[in-house]
Amino acid sequence: ALQGVNGCHDTSPQLRLDSKSSDRTDMAADLTIGQLSRRAGVAPTTLRYYEKIGLLPGPVRVGGQRRYDESALSRLEVIVMCKIAGFTLDEITVLFADDVPGRPASRALAQAKLGEIDARIAALVDAKRVIEWGMACTCPSIDACTCGVHGAKPATAATGTSIPDSRRRTLV
């Protein structure tokens, strides 16, 4: 998603924004703030804020009304994906502004963020194991547990141990 800022594309799954074409053939600058908001899933107030801080270029105005072109959708896709990845708005600003050959600032930020994402994934895997461990108990409550499931600790990514298959329930 970060590569999309400079026109390069990768094959990783990405957030898809609704990019339905309009009945009009001239798409240069015909999206109102409301239309862009709906298509991108971003509140109009957020769009105005992104303009104010420079994340979204100021649109042309027709009769005093903001008019965005289709490129605003692509830029918002990158912003949304960066936010999902945990980048702050200040960091996203750095990513967009980094036009130095090799993009050293962007690469440093991305490398640090990848470590944070890996840590979040590990924590989520642990949380999933704890939930599965708790679901293996069929007693009315943890306090009234007589099946013994709660006597053992749940598996964690750190230990690599898992709940015995006989006590694990699969959610369907």
Side-chain angles (χ1 to χ4, degrees):
L2 295 180
Q3 292 177 343
V5 173
N6 292 325
C8 302
H9 300 285
D10 63 21
T11 57
S12 63
Q14 296 183 14
L15 177 68
R16 299 281 181 222
L17 297 172
D18 179 9
S19 58
K20 295 176 189 170
S21 62
S22 164
D23 291 338
R24 294 176 53 183
T25 56
D26 176 19
M27 296 296 287
D30 70 345
L31 294 174
T32 65
I33 194 166
Q35 292 167 330
L36 180 62
S37 171
R38 282 187 295 280
R39 288 178 58 181
V42 176
T45 54
T46 301
L47 296 175
R48 286 188 287 272
Y49 181 70
Y50 288 172
E51 284 176 38
K52 181 180 175 183
I53 65 172
L55 280 178
L56 195 60
V60 297
R61 294 191 182 254
V62 177
Q65 190 176 54
R66 289 172 167 86
R67 296 293 180 151
Y68 298 87
D69 62 29
E70 292 288 320
S71 68
L73 285 169
S74 297
R75 192 165 183 97
L76 286 168
E77 178 180 11
V78 173
I79 293 168
V80 168
M81 291 305 298
C82 286
K83 287 183 69 176
I84 289 169
F87 286 95
T88 65
L89 293 179
D90 287 339
E91 291 170 330
I92 297 169
T93 301
V94 170
L95 295 174
F96 279 130
D98 188 11
D99 59 359
V100 175
R103 300 183 1 242
S106 295
R107 290 185 182 282
L109 278 173
Q111 190 63 44
K113 199 57 66 180
L114 288 174
E116 292 173 24
I117 290 169
D118 287 340
R120 284 192 302 186
I121 290 170
L124 287 171
V125 166
D126 285 348
K128 180 181 177 199
R129 288 184 180 145
V130 167
I131 292 167
E132 289 172 340
W133 168 75
M135 292 198 55
C137 176
T138 57
C139 298
S141 73
I142 292 174
D143 296 332
C145 180
T146 59
C147 70
V149 169
H150 300 291
K153 292 195 176 199
T156 65
T159 64
T161 58
S162 62
I163 303 165
D165 288 335
S166 62
R167 292 194 174 164
R168 179 176 287 150
R169 232 193 273 178
T170 304
L171 294 175
V172 181

